[in-house]
Amino acid sequence: MSTHTEVRNKLFGLYEQYVGEPESAREVYGYWLFIAGYLVGFGGILFYLLGPGMMAGEQFFLQEIAWSIAAVGLSLGLFGIVLLLPVRRRAIQASVVGFAIAIVGVILFTTVYPQYWGPDGISDRSPMVIVTYLTGNAILAGVTALVPVVTGRKGFLVEEEGYGDQPPVMVGEAMRGALFAVFRNATGDWTWRIIQQDALASSEATAATRPDAEATIDGVKTQIDEAGLLEITTAAFRLYENDEGEWRWVLMRDDGSVVAEGTDLYEDRDTTEESVSFVKEAGAGADILDIDGAAFNYTERDNRWTWELLDADRNDLATGVGDFPSHEDAERVAMRMAEEFGDARALAVESIGVELANEDGTWDWRFVDGDDELLATSTADFDTRRQAESAVEDVLPAVGDSSVTVAGTPTYEFHETDEGWRWRLVDATESVVARSHEPTGDRAASERSADEVARNVEAADLVDIDGAEYEVYPDGEDWHWRLATEDRTVLADSTFDHMSEDAATESIERVREQAAEADLIEFENAAFQVYEADDGEWRWRLIDEDGAVMADSGAEHESRSEATEAMMTLKQKAPDAEMLEIDTAAFELFRNDDDLWGWRLIDEAGHMVAEGPKLHDTRGGARTYLSQLKDNLHADVRTMSDAIFQAYTDDGDWRWRFVLTDGRVVADGEAAHATRDDLKQTVERIRGVAAEADSYAIGQFVVQLVGEEDDWRWRLLDRDRDLVAESARAYETEQAVKDVVMAVQNDAADAPVFSIESAVIWLTREDSGWRWTLSDEDREVLAQGTRFFGTRGDLEDHVEDLRRLAPQAGRVDFGDASYELFREGDSWYWRLLDSSQQVVSTGAGAFDSREEARKTVESVRDLVSAASVIEIDDAAFELHMVEGGWIWRLVDEGGDALAESIEPHESRSEARTEMNLVKEHAPDGWVSFTE
């Protein structure tokens, strides 16, 4: 609504609220002009009193303003009074002239005051100004007061007609007649009805005021009087042009009833005729669309074909992606969609999913994200899908707890095996360079083992052992020695604590001397020993099989015989004890309580100076170790104050092991070397790696980030560092690849595992909501949904409906045009569609059933080809079929409805009869206003 109309309605509303019902629009405007004149005049007087009237001296400029405002207010008020009175048009015209003259007088006053005003002015022009102003006001007053008095004729200027008389039909002066009943509707606007005994018709438009309603009634009377009954002998397309120059058309039968109408407004007649021509040509042979459940439609544009799946209401359910070179190609993809959709798995991968894929007869598995982008692929191939699935079942629960490492950093990796905890040392090239020598019972013990390597590696020398060597090593504040072979078999170990390195070395020399002359003594029970002490005296003692002294002679004897006699006295009490005479040191083979055999070296004084470091299951085993000791008695002596890298050969290759000062082997090298120089270089490289390496524990798997600058990838390793899966693409930053790894770790445990046999329905969430896409095993998209859903559950319900509809979908072809039958509420309707499925025209009526609508369409097909095209420039009556029966309608030359029958009639003839009554009596009908 425009601003002018809003102001007008406001003025009328206030007048009706505070004054009363106006007889005309002029009355309302007159009232408000009178009020405006009063306010302006009073404002001028008030301005004078508060301005020049209160100031000393002559304030000519302010006086001029005040008197001019007051003068305009007086003339404006008089003009408002004229409009309030029921005068004729000629009186209004005279009042306008008078008001204009008065305004000219005011303008003249502003030009002559004060220089040319009054007898004191240069040239007194005040009489001319006063006469001009008074003449204008005289005309305003004389229009309503003087002219009727002088002429004696009220009707010369004043309206004599009224609306208070009753029509003849209401007072019995005529048998038939019509009455225009003007009244307010529920919204307070004015409307009207034509009444002939009963109400026959009602207006289609409303009026804001009673005068507007009167004007509308006058126009309708003229239209009814001139309107024809639109008697045409054949069906015709009628063309209309409205006041805005827009065109539309309707299709009418030969009885004047409308059966169809165009849905658009057209810019000109030519465009309208083009639309009509399309309906005449295409509508005559157009098929009737009858979609039962769902159907495929194929469309051609620019020699390319597309397809879509429609439901019974012609709503899009699915569409192909892209276009196709031929109808056959489009239909092939659509039919495949119908075949695959019913059995395809509906899959929602919101974050991470795992696909089992078959390539060249072998299976692998791969991580994909929510956009079906490939993240990583397994490196192993599997013979069957179940094997691949089993591998995935091992990976998914464990990958969430996997450590994340960055390649290129030397690291101790702690991992648990079936035997226990182990560690391995990885250098910057991701090569394993060392491993723990033996498993430990827990992770802490394994960490201590790696820590011992890290603390001692820098000081460790590279040492070769040729056969065997004596190793002199510290043990706290004391020193010990051992005889170790190349394979770290300890042949002998010292039994005493030595105060210094030299003392331990001297002990080795004594052992060499004594062992070289020592005899082998074997006993299984206790034995008597006769020996010469250091001071030359002879003694005896009783030792058990473990070498412990059970008894000793209490005195010294000058000769062996004396000692022997004393010993024999005691032997009578220990008859089973053997008798040994020790002239020099001796090796003793013995068996303990656990039936294990060992050896020890006893010097000539009966002291144990060396022993075998381990016990053996058999006597022969102890003999073998003793034999090796004798063979290596003269091995080199080496002080081992720090841990060592011990180099050794294995099948011709050089290797190393890491040995602590206490003789424990804690680490082994990983690689074999062709030469000792190669091994030496490796050892030098390992010194820095092992001393500075980080450490972490890994579970069943570890995620490793690999890259630099703008090329970062990730890979999944198992506990043996075997590659399980690797990234399928590169990332620009380390943080980007970390984000991907984090998503995999967070969601892998709940990731769906799937295999695309032939097709899969992807359920994806986009900005607009959830939607589905159907693709085959090669990720070629076969179809996608056209609707978005608020929740995943709603989409899943929709997909289930499509599973039922798609396999049984038929085929529709819109061609150039098609008739569509559709239902709204309890009624059926029809419309004509073009090849792009745009609605060209709609039926004019509603039907109780599909069959009735179909029969009407069949009759319309017969009408359109033979229908003529006419343009009627005058108002006309039309007959329309609506729900409930027939109505008549009066339309103007633009096709806009002016009036229509209030209620539908059972037959077209009854509607025509009432229409003829209105045509006959309405032009002379009286107007009656009621509240």
Side-chain angles (χ1 to χ4, degrees), residues 814-893:
F814 287 94
D816 293 333
S818 304
Y819 290 100
E820 180 186 21
L821 309 180
F822 64 98
R823 185 174 183 174
E824 290 184 359
D826 295 331
S827 300
W828 286 87
Y829 302 86
W830 66 267
R831 55 194 171 200
L832 181 64
L833 312 175
D834 62 14
S835 58
S836 61
Q837 302 178 44
Q838 299 299 313
V839 180
V840 177
S841 67
T842 59
F847 306 92
D848 294 334
S849 65
R850 180 195 292 264
E851 290 305 316
E852 290 184 16
R854 178 184 290 275
K855 290 179 180 179
T856 301
V857 169
E858 292 173 351
S859 65
V860 168
R861 285 193 297 197
D862 297 334
L863 287 176
V864 293
S865 60
S868 59
V869 180
I870 60 174
E871 178 185 349
I872 301 178
D873 297 328
D874 299 321
F877 286 97
E878 296 177 349
L879 297 176
H880 290 263
M881 185 179 67
V882 297
E883 185 177 3
W886 288 82
I887 64 169
W888 60 263
R889 180 179 297 162
L890 175 65
V891 297
D892 61 15
E893 64 277 5

Side-chain angles (χ1 to χ4, degrees), residues 65-78:
I65 294 176
W67 292 347
S68 298
I69 293 174
V72 171
L74 175 61
S75 299
L76 191 62
L78 289 175

Side-chain angles (χ1 to χ4, degrees), residues 412-459:
Y412 289 100
E413 295 180 349
F414 302 99
H415 58 99
E416 188 175 14
T417 67
D418 295 337
E419 295 82 15
W421 281 83
R422 287 185 175 272
W423 61 262
R424 56 178 170 250
L425 178 62
V426 182
D427 66 7
T429 65
E430 289 303 304
S431 299
V432 177
V433 294
R435 295 181 184 272
S436 57
H437 182 66
E438 292 180 345
T440 60
D442 54 37
R443 172 180 167 183
S446 183
E447 290 176 347
R448 287 194 298 270
S449 171
D451 185 61
E452 288 177 321
V453 173
R455 285 188 290 106
N456 294 282
V457 67
E458 291 184 331

Side-chain angles (χ1 to χ4, degrees), residues 598-617:
W599 66 265
R600 56 185 171 237
L601 177 62
I602 306 299
D603 63 12
E604 62 276 9
H607 300 136
M608 184 171 63
V609 295
E611 64 178 345
K614 61 179 294 186
L615 299 175
H616 307 275
D617 294 333

Side-chain angles (χ1 to χ4, degrees), residues 263-302:
T263 56
D264 295 324
L265 294 176
Y266 304 96
E267 296 180 354
D268 50 45
R269 178 189 175 96
D270 292 340
T271 308
T272 311
E273 289 182 342
E274 290 177 3
S275 175
V276 170
S277 297
F278 173 80
V279 174
K280 286 175 62 67
E281 296 173 3
D287 294 331
I288 299 176
L289 297 178
D290 192 359
I291 301 177
D292 184 12
F296 288 98
N297 173 53
Y298 304 92
T299 305
E300 181 185 16
R301 291 186 182 91
D302 300 328

Side-chain angles (χ1 to χ4, degrees), residues 278-507:
F278 173 80
V279 174
K280 286 175 62 67
E281 296 173 3
D287 294 331
I288 299 176
L289 297 178
D290 192 359
I291 301 177
D292 184 12
F296 288 98
N297 173 53
Y298 304 92
T299 305
E300 181 185 16
R301 291 186 182 91
D302 300 328
N303 294 323
R304 304 291 293 182
W305 287 82
T306 59
W307 66 267
E308 59 189 346
L309 180 64
L310 307 176
D311 63 11
D313 296 326
R314 205 167 52 82
N315 297 316
D316 288 345
L317 297 177
T319 183
V321 178
D323 51 25
F324 305 91
S326 67
H327 183 283
E328 290 74 16
D329 291 331
E331 185 173 16
R332 174 180 53 79
V333 176
M335 290 301 100
R336 185 177 180 192
M337 178 269 178
E339 294 172 1
E340 301 286 4
F341 203 92
D343 297 328
R345 176 182 176 182
L347 184 64
V349 179
E350 296 192 44
S351 177
I352 300 297
V354 181
E355 180 187 3
L356 308 179
N358 186 348
E359 292 186 2
D360 300 328
T362 60
W363 290 83
D364 62 24
W365 59 265
R366 54 194 62 175
F367 281 118
V368 296
D369 63 13
D371 297 325
D372 195 30
E373 295 290 337
L374 187 61
L375 299 179
T377 305
S378 65
T379 55
D381 293 329
F382 305 91
D383 294 333
T384 65
R385 180 172 58 187
R386 180 63 192 116
Q387 290 177 345
E389 185 178 14
S390 178
V392 171
E393 291 171 352
D394 292 336
V395 169
L396 294 184
V399 72
D401 297 328
S402 300
S403 301
V404 179
T405 65
V406 179
T409 302
T411 308
Y412 289 100
E413 295 180 349
F414 302 99
H415 58 99
E416 188 175 14
T417 67
D418 295 337
E419 295 82 15
W421 281 83
R422 287 185 175 272
W423 61 262
R424 56 178 170 250
L425 178 62
V426 182
D427 66 7
T429 65
E430 289 303 304
S431 299
V432 177
V433 294
R435 295 181 184 272
S436 57
H437 182 66
E438 292 180 345
T440 60
D442 54 37
R443 172 180 167 183
S446 183
E447 290 176 347
R448 287 194 298 270
S449 171
D451 185 61
E452 288 177 321
V453 173
R455 285 188 290 106
N456 294 282
V457 67
E458 291 184 331
D461 292 330
L462 179 62
V463 174
D464 296 350
I465 297 179
D466 186 11
E469 280 189 357
Y470 291 98
E471 295 177 343
V472 179
Y473 63 94
D475 184 9
E477 295 182 357
D478 299 321
W479 286 79
H480 287 266
W481 62 264
R482 59 178 169 259
L483 178 59
T485 64
E486 182 182 15
D487 62 357
R488 298 309 303 175
T489 299
V490 178
L491 301 178
D493 201 352
S494 60
T495 58
F496 298 103
D497 295 332
H498 304 283
M499 300 298 294
S500 65
E501 176 186 352
D502 292 340
T505 303
E506 291 175 0
S507 174

Side-chain angles (χ1 to χ4, degrees), residues 671-685:
H673 302 79
T675 66
R676 191 179 186 283
D677 285 342
D678 293 340
L679 183 142
K680 183 177 180 180
Q681 293 179 5
T682 298
V683 168
E684 293 302 320
R685 188 168 62 253

Side-chain angles (χ1 to χ4, degrees), residues 4-301:
H4 171 74
T5 303
E6 293 176 352
V7 173
R8 179 176 179 274
N9 291 342
K10 186 67 175 178
L11 293 177
F12 274 77
L14 292 173
Y15 185 90
E16 294 174 358
Q17 181 177 359
Y18 295 106
V19 180
E21 182 63 41
E23 294 292 334
S24 65
R26 188 175 64 236
E27 178 181 337
V28 176
Y29 290 133
Y31 173 79
W32 289 112
L33 284 177
F34 173 75
I35 296 298
Y38 168 77
L39 294 176
V40 172
F42 183 78
I45 296 172
L46 185 63
F47 181 78
Y48 177 79
L49 294 176
L50 298 178
M54 298 291 293
M55 298 179 183
E58 296 180 344
Q59 304 292 328
F60 296 114
F61 179 70
L62 297 178
Q63 291 174 358
E64 176 183 331
I65 294 176
W67 292 347
S68 298
I69 293 174
V72 171
L74 175 61
S75 299
L76 191 62
L78 289 175
F79 185 60
I81 294 174
V82 172
L83 296 181
L84 279 169
L85 299 175
V87 296
R88 293 181 182 272
R89 184 182 295 247
R90 62 177 69 95
I92 298 296
Q93 295 171 348
S95 298
V96 171
V97 174
F99 180 73
I101 293 174
I103 296 301
V104 170
V106 174
I107 295 173
L108 290 175
F109 170 75
T110 61
T111 61
V112 303
Y113 185 84
Q115 292 89 346
Y116 305 103
W117 189 263
D120 296 332
I122 299 175
S123 177
D124 186 10
R125 299 179 184 177
S126 57
M128 175 188 69
V129 175
I130 294 173
V131 169
T132 302
Y133 179 72
L134 291 178
T135 299
N137 286 338
I139 294 174
L140 289 171
V143 167
T144 56
L146 298 179
V147 173
V149 173
V150 173
T151 61
R153 292 182 57 194
K154 174 184 177 183
F156 184 76
L157 292 177
V158 180
E159 294 280 3
E160 296 176 339
E161 300 88 350
Y163 289 91
D165 297 331
Q166 298 294 330
V169 70
M170 299 296 292
V171 296
E173 296 178 358
M175 297 299 295
R176 291 184 178 276
L179 174 69
F180 284 90
V182 185
F183 60 95
R184 289 182 180 275
N185 62 15
T187 62
D189 295 328
W190 287 92
T191 186
W192 54 267
R193 287 178 178 171
I194 300 175
I195 300 176
Q196 195 277 324
Q197 293 184 342
D198 294 321
L200 300 180
S202 63
S203 63
E204 288 293 289
T206 61
T209 66
R210 190 170 77 176
D212 290 341
E214 296 170 10
T216 301
I217 292 172
D218 290 339
V220 171
K221 283 184 177 183
T222 302
Q223 297 277 21
I224 291 176
D225 186 42
E226 297 175 354
L229 297 181
L230 205 61
E231 293 289 350
I232 54 180
T233 59
T234 61
F237 289 94
R238 181 178 178 185
L239 280 55
Y240 301 95
E241 181 183 14
N242 61 22
D243 295 337
E244 287 77 23
E246 297 173 324
W247 289 75
R248 68 184 185 89
W249 61 264
V250 298
L251 175 62
M252 308 180 68
R253 299 181 188 272
D254 54 3
D255 58 8
S257 59
V258 177
V259 293
E261 58 186 348
T263 56
D264 295 324
L265 294 176
Y266 304 96
E267 296 180 354
D268 50 45
R269 178 189 175 96
D270 292 340
T271 308
T272 311
E273 289 182 342
E274 290 177 3
S275 175
V276 170
S277 297
F278 173 80
V279 174
K280 286 175 62 67
E281 296 173 3
D287 294 331
I288 299 176
L289 297 178
D290 192 359
I291 301 177
D292 184 12
F296 288 98
N297 173 53
Y298 304 92
T299 305
E300 181 185 16
R301 291 186 182 91

